[in-house]
Amino acid sequence: MADTLFWYLITTALGLATFPLAFRLLPGLADRGYTASRALGLLLTGYLFWLTGYLFWLSSSLGLLNNTVGGILLCGLVMVGIGLWVYFSKSGDDDDEHLLSWVKEHGQLIAVSELLFLLAFVGWALVRAYNPDISGTEKPMDLAFLNGIRTSPTFPPQDPWLSGYAISYYYFGYMLMAMLADLSGAISGVSFNLAIALLFALTLLGSYGLVYNLAAAFKTKNSADNPAFGALLGPLFVGVMGNLAGFLELLRAVNLPILGAGFWRWLDIIDLNEPVTGTLWPPSTWRFWWWWRASRVIHDRTIAGESFWIQPIDEFPMFSFLLGDMHPHVLALPFVLLALGLAFNLAAQGQRRLTSTQLGMYAVCYGGLAFLNTWDLPTALFILIGAAVIRQIATGEGPPLQRIDLVRPALNGAAILALGIVLYLPWYISFSSQAGGILPNALFPTRLHQFGVMFGPFLVIIVWFLLDEARRHYQSMNWAAGASIGGMVLLTLVAMMAALSFLALRIDPSLKSFVLSVTGTATETLTDAAIAEQFPQAINTVIKYRLLHPLTSLFLTGALMLALARLLPRRRPEAADDLITGGNASPRHIDPATGFVLLLLILAGLVYPVFAIPAKTGPMIRTAGEPAPTLDGLDFVRRLQPDDYDAIRWLAEHASPEDVVLEAVGGQYSYYGRVSAFTGLQTVMGWPGHERQWRGDRYPDYAGTREEDVQEIYNTTSIIRAMELLEKYGVTYVYVGQLERDPHYASPAGIIKFSRYLAPAYQNGTVTIYRVDQPIVEEQP
C-alpha cells in the first residue's frame, strides 16, 4: 500500500512540476498540456538523468550523477526549478493566460483528470495484485532489464544476461520505471507490477486529454458544452475496450444454434472453431488462455489454403495490460499519446511558429520515441508532418490550394528527427538492432472480416464520420486531390512492395522456394533449376491471388481518399481553425440507426475486459489454500522455490554490482536465468535465443562458446579446467541450485567438485553459493 502511494505521489509531483512548462509551450491545447504533464515530466526528468549520468561516466568524473537516488532527486529538483522559473517569468504573449486563472476556470477538467488517473492506477494495481507473478511469457526478460538498470552504477546499463556487455535494446522505458522504483524504494517484484498499473493509468489519462482537446477545439465554434465528461470516451475506447474476439468467444460459449459450423469456418480465427468445454461462468473454463487468442485474430493462410507457420501478432492495449509483459511497446504508450498531443498543438496553435524552446521539447519527446520503442517513431513523425501541412492550409502560410507544399513540413519533421538523434546520440552509438530488414507482406492479404474483428467499433466511427463530413462539406472538398493522392499512395505502396520483394529475392534466392511452397507446390524434391523454371508461374499466381482479395486494401484506400478530400479543400477556410475544428456547421448528431449499431459494437468490445480480467486473475475471493493478493511479483518463488528465494535475496543484499554470478543456461520462456533476472547481477549467459535476437549478426562475436562453457564448468570433474573458464568470464559467485543439479545438465561428480575446492558463501537446503576467489587452501586439485 505504501509503495502504491509513493508511486502515485512521485508521478503527481513530476506532473505538477512540469505543468507550468507545458502550459507555456502548448498554447494550442485546450487543456494547456495538463493531462500530458505527468508523462512529459517523467520523460524530461528521465532524459536529463540519463544524459547527465552518461556524460559524467564518459568524462570519468566523480560520478555525482551516476545511477543513484541522489542523482535522480537532483534531476527532479532541476525540473521543479524550471517549472518555478517558467511560472514566475513572463512569456511576452499578449494572449497568455495566467496559470492560476486557468486552473480556476478549468476545475472540472482537473477534477475528472485526477480522479481518472487515481482510479485507473489503484484499480489496475488491484488487478495486478490478483495476478502478480513475474513468470511465463517474457516477464523474466523485462524484469532482467529493470533490475539490470537498477543495479548498474552508470549508463549504459549492464546486460544481466551477457556479462561484460551493456544492454543493446531500447531500454529508455525500463529506465524510467527503474527511476521511480529507486525513488520509492520499492523492491523490483512490486515495482514491476506498479509500473504496469502506472502505464495503464497514464495511457487512460493521455487518451482522455487528446479527446478533450479535440472536443474542446470543436466546441469553441459550435457548442457551450463542457467536454470534460464526454472525453471519457477516449480512455474507454483506447485503454479499456478490447477487440471483438471476446464477444465472439462469448457467443461460442453460449453456443447459439443460429451460428452454425459454417459461420465459424468462414470466420477462420484460430481456435474459435473448437467446441467450448467449460461453462459460461467462470470464463476461465471456456478454453485454455482464450483471452490470449484475442491478440491473434488475423489468420494468414497460404495461397494453397494452408495455415502459415508464422502468424501475425495484433495486440491491443487492454490485452497488453492484462498480459502484464512490460515490453517497449507498452512502455511507450503514454509517450506516443504525448507525441500525438504535440502534433495537435502544432496544428492548433494558429499563426505561431515553433519557438526554439518548443523545438527542443519536440525533439526530446519525438527522439525519445526511438529510445522507447523505435517502431513508433515513423508513424508519430508522419502524423507530425501531416499536422504541419494542415496548419499551413488552415493559416494560409502555404502556397495556393491548387498546390500542396510538403517541403517545409517535411523539412521541419526532418529537423526534429535530426535534433532528436543528436540528443540521444549516446544510445544510438551503443545500440545494435536485432532487425534484419523489412520483408513486405506480398503473400498474405488481411481479410476484411478479420480486420473488422480487430477494429470493428473504430471502423464504424471512421466511416460514419467521413461520410458525414462529405455530406456537410461536399462543395468545398477537393475530390480530385483526394482521389489522385489516395490512388497514388496505393500505387506507391504496391510498387514498394514489389520492389522490396524483388530486392529480397535477389539478396536471398532461397526465397523462390518459399514462394513456390506458399502457392501449394512441394519443393522438397525440386532442383534449383526446376524451382527457377516454375517461379514465374508462382509469381503470376500470387498476383492473381492478391487481385482477387482486394477488399481491405480498397476499404482503407477509400477512407484515405475521403479524408484527403476533406483535409485538402478547394478553397481556403474562412477562419484559421475551421479546418481543424470542423467549421461553423450545426452540432453534429449521430442518427439513431448508426448510434444503435455503434452502441452494440462498443458493448461487444467491452465483453473482452469484463470476461478476460476474471479469466486471467481468478476469483477475487481467495480460499485458504490459494495465494493471497500481493503486488510482489516474486512471491511465487517464495512459495514454490523457497530455497531459491532465500539464496537470491542473499545475493541481492551481499553481492556488488560488478560481480558476475554463474547459473545454468537453459531455454527461453523458462525458469532459467532466474538468478540474474531477479537480482540484476550479470551472468555469463541468460536466455540465448533472446540475446541472439538483440545482438543480430554480432551475436556470435559476443556470445562465442559461453553456453557450452557454462555447462562445462558445472559438468567437468577438473577444478583446473573449471577455474580457467571461471576466470575467463570473471565469475565471482557460482550458484548451485536445483536447475544446476539436474543430471541432464551436469553430472553429480561435476557438482561435488565445488564443495571440495571452493568455500561456500551461502548455503541452505538445496542451494549453495560458492565464492570463486575464496578457494579452500587445504585441498589441492
Side-chain angles (χ1 to χ4, degrees):
M1 183 63 183
D3 293 327
T4 306
L5 178 62
F6 284 148
W7 276 61
Y8 171 79
L9 292 177
I10 292 168
T11 52
T12 300
L14 285 175
L16 291 175
T18 311
F19 178 52
L21 183 65
F23 185 86
R24 178 70 58 81
L25 298 181
L26 300 175
L29 303 183
D31 75 345
R32 301 302 294 264
Y34 183 84
T35 56
S37 59
R38 279 184 172 91
L40 180 62
L42 183 58
L43 184 128
L44 293 179
T45 305
Y47 172 73
L48 181 63
F49 176 61
W50 169 80
L51 181 64
T52 53
Y54 215 117
L55 293 178
F56 269 61
W57 173 73
L58 290 175
S59 64
S60 300
S61 71
L62 297 178
L64 296 177
L65 285 180
N66 280 351
N67 188 11
T68 62
V69 174
I72 301 171
L73 285 173
L74 181 58
C75 293
L77 290 175
V78 170
M79 290 305 304
V80 171
I82 292 174
L84 291 174
W85 177 78
V86 171
Y87 174 75
F88 288 108
S89 65
K90 299 294 183 181
S91 68
D93 293 336
D94 294 335
D95 60 342
D96 188 35
E97 301 174 73
H98 192 269
L99 188 147
L100 287 182
S101 301
W102 182 92
V103 168
K104 293 177 182 177
E105 295 173 2
H106 294 79
Q108 196 174 62
L109 163 68
I110 295 173
V112 174
S113 300
E114 292 303 315
L115 186 61
L116 171 66
F117 179 78
L118 177 62
L119 291 178
F121 180 55
V122 175
W124 206 254
L126 182 63
V127 171
R128 294 304 307 161
Y130 279 87
N131 184 38
D133 295 356
I134 307 175
S135 64
T137 60
E138 291 179 314
K139 294 181 184 67
M141 176 202 86
D142 298 320
L143 182 63
F145 283 147
L146 180 68
N147 277 329
I149 293 171
R150 295 191 72 179
T151 304
S152 300
T154 60
F155 297 125
Q158 61 192 23
D159 186 345
W161 281 351
L162 194 69
S163 59
Y165 292 95
I167 292 176
S168 178
Y169 204 57
Y170 14 83
Y171 63 82
F172 193 32
Y174 296 100
M175 194 209 79
L176 297 179
M177 297 303 109
M179 199 171 65
L180 294 175
D182 288 343
L183 284 176
S184 67
I187 60 175
S188 292
V190 172
S191 297
F192 187 98
N193 286 308
L194 286 178
I196 299 296
L198 176 64
L199 294 167
F200 178 74
L202 288 175
T203 299
L204 264 58
L205 183 61
S207 55
Y208 171 77
L210 270 180
V211 175
Y212 177 88
N213 289 318
L214 289 167
F218 182 83
K219 185 266 300 182
T220 58
K221 284 289 184 182
N222 301 291
S223 173
D225 296 336
N226 192 324
F229 293 105
L232 289 171
L233 285 174
L236 178 70
F237 279 24
V238 173
V240 176
M241 192 170 67
N243 62 19
L244 298 182
F247 176 67
L248 293 170
E249 293 280 0
L250 177 61
L251 292 181
R252 190 69 177 162
V254 174
N255 196 21
L256 293 178
I258 193 175
L259 299 176
F263 170 79
W264 300 106
R265 284 196 301 270
W266 168 80
L267 195 63
D268 196 28
I269 296 177
I270 296 176
D271 290 344
L272 260 180
N273 56 351
E274 297 179 357
V276 175
T277 57
T279 57
L280 183 60
W281 194 270
S284 57
T285 63
W286 291 359
R287 278 190 298 107
F288 176 72
W289 274 27
W290 65 264
W291 53 270
W292 170 277
R293 278 299 177 192
S295 67
R296 271 77 175 166
V297 299
I298 306 298
H299 184 193
D300 283 344
R301 288 187 177 274
T302 67
I303 297 175
E306 300 294 329
S307 181
F308 191 54
W309 66 282
I310 295 180
Q311 291 295 323
I313 299 173
D314 41 73
E315 289 193 23
F316 49 93
M318 173 48 66
F319 168 84
S320 300
F321 292 124
L322 185 62
L323 178 65
D325 282 9
M326 193 166 57
H327 281 1
H329 69 270
V330 181
L331 288 159
L333 276 172
F335 307 101
V336 171
L337 293 168
L338 170 63
L340 295 179
L342 297 182
F344 184 68
N345 174 76
L346 176 64
Q349 70 176 16
Q351 298 286 349
R352 307 184 190 187
R353 295 180 179 274
L354 288 180
T355 65
S356 57
T357 307
Q358 283 182 310
L359 181 63
M361 180 185 68
Y362 274 61
V364 171
C365 293
Y366 277 84
L369 285 183
F371 198 178
L372 284 158
N373 186 41
T374 305
W375 302 106
D376 286 326
L377 179 59
T379 303
L381 196 63
F382 176 80
I383 294 173
L384 181 68
I385 294 173
V389 173
I390 294 173
R391 177 175 176 270
Q392 279 193 351
I393 295 173
T395 59
E397 294 180 351
L401 288 180
Q402 289 78 11
R403 294 183 289 112
I404 305 300
D405 179 19
L406 297 178
V407 176
R408 285 202 302 175
L411 289 177
N412 289 336
I416 290 174
L417 174 62
L419 183 56
I421 292 175
V422 171
L423 293 176
Y424 291 90
L425 190 59
W427 171 72
Y428 281 99
I429 294 173
S430 64
F431 177 63
S432 62
S433 173
Q434 68 269 32
I438 299 176
L439 187 64
N441 181 17
L443 304 176
F444 308 108
T446 299
R447 287 171 281 178
L448 184 59
H449 68 277
Q450 292 182 350
F451 190 76
V453 171
M454 186 66 194
F455 298 108
F458 303 104
L459 298 182
V460 172
I461 294 172
I462 290 171
V463 170
W464 170 82
F465 177 78
L466 290 176
L467 293 177
D468 190 59
E469 285 290 293
R471 177 184 63 83
R472 289 164 170 260
H473 304 281
Y474 181 84
Q475 297 297 328
S476 64
M477 288 178 68
N478 195 336
W479 297 101
S484 60
I485 298 178
M488 183 173 61
V489 169
L490 177 62
L491 292 176
T492 301
L493 291 176
V494 171
M496 288 178 59
M497 182 173 63
L500 289 172
S501 300
F502 175 78
L503 182 62
L505 288 168
R506 292 294 299 270
I507 296 175
D508 186 2
S510 65
L511 288 176
K512 292 182 179 180
S513 175
F514 169 72
V515 173
L516 258 67
S517 67
V518 169
T519 62
T521 303
T523 61
E524 291 82 3
T525 59
L526 293 180
T527 63
D528 292 343
I531 291 175
E533 182 181 355
Q534 297 185 35
F535 183 70
Q537 180 59 41
I539 292 297
N540 291 334
T541 303
V542 170
I543 294 174
K544 181 179 178 181
Y545 182 76
R546 291 303 301 253
L547 291 176
L548 291 175
H549 296 80
L551 292 182
T552 304
S553 299
L554 292 179
F555 170 80
L556 294 174
T557 303
L560 178 63
M561 288 178 175
L562 279 176
L564 289 171
R566 174 68 182 96
L567 291 173
L568 306 174
R570 288 182 293 174
R571 61 174 181 267
R572 185 78 60 189
E574 294 181 3
D577 58 352
D578 278 358
L579 187 62
I580 299 168
T581 64
N584 287 307
S586 57
R588 193 188 307 270
H589 295 288
I590 299 179
D591 61 276
T594 304
F596 180 72
V597 171
L598 182 58
L599 178 61
L600 290 181
L601 286 173
I602 292 173
L603 293 176
L606 290 174
V607 167
Y608 182 82
V610 169
F611 286 88
I613 291 175
K616 182 71 162 59
T617 63
M620 299 294 286
I621 300 177
R622 298 292 172 90
T623 62
E626 294 176 320
T630 177
L631 280 172
D632 186 1
L634 297 182
D635 187 65
F636 78 99
V637 183
R638 179 189 61 80
R639 290 184 283 105
L640 302 178
Q641 302 286 346
D643 288 346
D644 265 353
Y645 184 81
D646 292 338
I648 290 171
R649 283 188 59 191
W650 181 90
L651 268 176
E653 294 172 359
H654 292 84
S656 300
E658 300 82 10
D659 290 339
V660 177
V661 180
L662 188 77
E663 60 179 317
V665 181
Q668 50 196 7
Y669 310 105
S670 69
Y671 191 53
Y672 284 96
R674 80 277 195 202
V675 178
S676 47
F678 296 167
T679 63
L681 297 171
Q682 295 186 98
T683 193
V684 177
M685 174 59 73
W687 287 359
H690 276 63
E691 283 291 345
R692 184 176 291 107
Q693 293 175 13
W694 302 330
R695 306 289 172 174
D697 295 338
R698 301 164 73 178
Y699 173 77
D701 298 331
Y702 292 147
T705 59
R706 287 177 180 240
E707 189 172 354
E708 296 81 5
D709 290 347
V710 170
Q711 187 166 10
E712 184 178 0
I713 292 172
Y714 283 109
N715 197 47
T716 182
T717 58
S718 169
I719 191 62
I720 295 177
R721 176 58 178 162
M723 290 299 294
E724 288 177 354
L725 293 174
L726 290 170
E727 292 174 3
K728 174 182 177 181
Y729 296 109
V731 174
T732 312
Y733 294 100
V734 175
Y735 190 96
V736 179
Q738 289 184 339
L739 291 181
E740 291 74 21
R741 298 180 193 275
D742 187 341
H744 294 93
Y745 188 78
S747 66
I751 296 298
I752 289 175
K753 71 174 181 294
F754 295 121
S755 62
R756 294 179 58 195
Y757 300 109
L758 297 179
Y762 173 87
Q763 194 167 18
N764 61 28
T766 60
V767 177
T768 303
I769 302 175
Y770 296 97
R771 179 92 187 199
V772 174
D773 59 358
Q774 295 179 358
I776 300 176
V777 180
E778 292 79 6
E779 297 284 354
Q780 296 297 324

